[in-house]
Amino acid sequence: MKDQQMDKAVEALKTASQYGHPSADAIQQVYHQQMHGRGYRETVSVPQHLPSMPKAHRGMKQYNAFFATEGVSDHA
């Protein structure tokens, strides 16, 4: 920032703060966008109704199923 105008940094802080307390990464990203001519990008809106997804099951059984080989025992 020392090579750029301080008002650009202040502008980036104000823009990033519009939706609450921004993280350092959020401020840096807004500053980068402003310095490289990309400006501020609006938040993407998601439709109110999203399709339901099946429940994801976790665990080693699902992982091991990818490597199942006929005739091989689980015991080593």
Side-chain angles (χ1 to χ4, degrees):
M1 287 188 332
K2 66 182 181 179
D3 296 335
Q4 306 296 332
Q5 299 171 350
M6 188 63 172
D7 60 332
K8 292 287 186 182
V10 172
E11 183 181 342
L13 178 59
K14 287 180 181 178
T15 301
S17 299
Q18 287 179 349
Y19 298 104
H21 184 71
S23 66
D25 289 337
I27 299 167
Q28 182 180 11
Q29 182 62 30
V30 172
Y31 180 78
H32 179 77
Q33 288 176 347
Q34 289 175 344
M35 295 309 298
H36 295 282
R38 295 186 180 111
Y40 179 73
R41 296 181 181 169
E42 292 294 324
T43 303
V44 175
S45 61
V46 178
Q48 292 297 326
H49 176 70
L50 295 176
S52 60
M53 299 294 293
K55 184 175 180 177
H57 298 283
R58 301 184 305 170
M60 292 303 292
K61 289 181 181 179
Q62 286 77 17
Y63 178 77
N64 288 339
F66 287 112
F67 300 103
T69 305
E70 194 173 316
V72 175
S73 173
D74 287 338
H75 306 295

